[in-house]
Amino acid sequence: STLFPYTTLFRSGNGKTYGAKFVGYDRMSDVAVLQLENASGLKTVSLGNSSGVSTGEAVVGIGNAGGSGGTPSYAGGSVVALDQSITASDQGDGTSENLTGLIETNADIQPGDSGGPLVNSSGKVIGMDTAASAGFSFEQGGSSTTQGFSIPIGTALKIAGEITSGDSSSTVHVGPTAFLGVSVVSAGGGASGAFGTGGYGFGQPVPTQTSSGAEIASVVPGSPASQVGLAEGDTITSVGGQSVTSPDSLTTIIENEKPGASVPLVYVDPSGAQQTVTVRLASGPPQ
């Protein structure tokens, strides 16, 4: 497969550290596949049957609570409900995901645990924690909850199979991720948005002359956006001929572009004047 040029580090249980590259991801399902470099002979986990999980079953969520690293943390609990649906919103980039079919537990899964295993009393993995990265909150029925949610391992493996086979779709992204380099908010005020792609939203909304689009809250120094003169307070309304109506739509549009592509970008500056530039997208982290 074509691998992402964006590299991270992975420390295994044998004390060694390996480089890892992203093979692909499904942003709407919160599942990604990484490939370790020069790694072999590693011990794998034992997988359980997530379709056989029942309420009341004892479970343990394992992960990196608080993102502190070191020895994995764990939290015990039990299955509260099955086939649950939630809206997971990331305060860091303003995007949201509607996740379905989840296992709900009362284990104290925390930010940083996302991606870790949910295991049963036999030590078999039955789910993948999706408590999310720092900044995620979960909403059910309009109120936040501290309950933990996990993607059934059968579902996660199915999506991983689609990614590794190279089957791109409307939700599955395979290959390098394009990068614009802006943190955005909803035009006229609202939740912070994505760097397009790669979410690290900072800053407060700045009043603009338009109510539709993605308003720039900050620009990454040296990024493609910076190179064409985009600045805080500008509102992006179109990229590659596609209308930008929100931070989410900007993320989706950029995600479907290729690194290195030169695309027209239309924006409205704080004075209300419409500007058009051609931006050459770089390669960046997955969304």
Side-chain angles (χ1 to χ4, degrees), residues 111-133:
D113 287 333
S114 182
L118 182 74
V119 303
N120 60 18
S121 57
S122 299
K124 294 185 177 181
V125 178
I126 58 172
M128 185 176 76
D129 300 337
T130 188
S133 56

Side-chain angles (χ1 to χ4, degrees), residues 6-264:
Y6 187 79
T7 304
T8 186
L9 295 177
F10 174 84
R11 184 178 297 277
S12 68
N14 61 12
K16 295 183 179 180
T17 300
Y18 301 94
K21 292 184 177 180
F22 290 92
V23 178
Y25 56 92
D26 185 334
R27 179 164 58 92
M28 300 309 296
S29 297
D30 205 22
V31 175
V33 174
L34 287 76
Q35 183 180 56
L36 300 187
E37 298 176 309
N38 303 314
S40 62
L42 298 179
K43 187 176 181 180
T44 58
V45 297
S46 297
L47 301 178
N49 180 8
S50 54
S51 63
V53 175
S54 58
T55 56
E57 183 175 345
V59 293
V60 175
I62 303 173
N64 179 25
S68 58
T71 303
S73 57
Y74 62 91
S78 60
V79 175
V80 174
L82 303 171
D83 197 25
Q84 296 299 289
S85 298
I86 63 172
T87 296
S89 58
D90 190 338
Q91 296 174 359
D93 67 12
T95 59
S96 61
E97 303 163 342
N98 295 314
L99 304 177
T100 62
L102 303 179
I103 300 170
E104 180 181 355
T105 72
N106 55 17
D108 187 20
I109 296 174
Q110 301 178 23
D113 287 333
S114 182
L118 182 74
V119 303
N120 60 18
S121 57
S122 299
K124 294 185 177 181
V125 178
I126 58 172
M128 185 176 76
D129 300 337
T130 188
S133 56
F136 261 98
S137 63
F138 296 95
E139 299 177 4
Q140 258 189 337
S143 61
S144 61
T145 175
T146 56
Q147 298 290 73
F149 295 89
S150 301
I151 302 166
I153 193 61
T155 301
L157 290 175
K158 179 179 181 295
I159 295 170
E162 295 172 354
I163 294 170
T164 55
S165 65
D167 293 336
S168 296
S169 67
S170 59
T171 59
V172 173
H173 183 99
V174 177
T177 304
F179 181 70
L180 176 59
V182 293
S183 171
V184 294
V185 297
S186 298
S192 57
F195 265 131
T197 63
Y200 310 93
F202 301 110
Q204 297 298 317
V206 179
T208 64
Q209 302 295 321
T210 180
S211 59
S212 179
E215 182 180 320
I216 298 176
S218 64
V219 177
V220 179
S223 68
S226 174
Q227 293 170 10
V228 297
L230 291 173
E232 179 182 345
D234 293 335
T235 298
I236 299 172
T237 58
S238 174
V239 174
Q242 300 183 67
S243 296
V244 174
T245 58
S246 66
D248 271 345
S249 70
L250 176 61
T251 295
T252 299
I253 291 169
I254 298 296
E255 184 181 88
N256 290 326
E257 296 287 351
K258 300 294 184 182
S262 294
V263 296

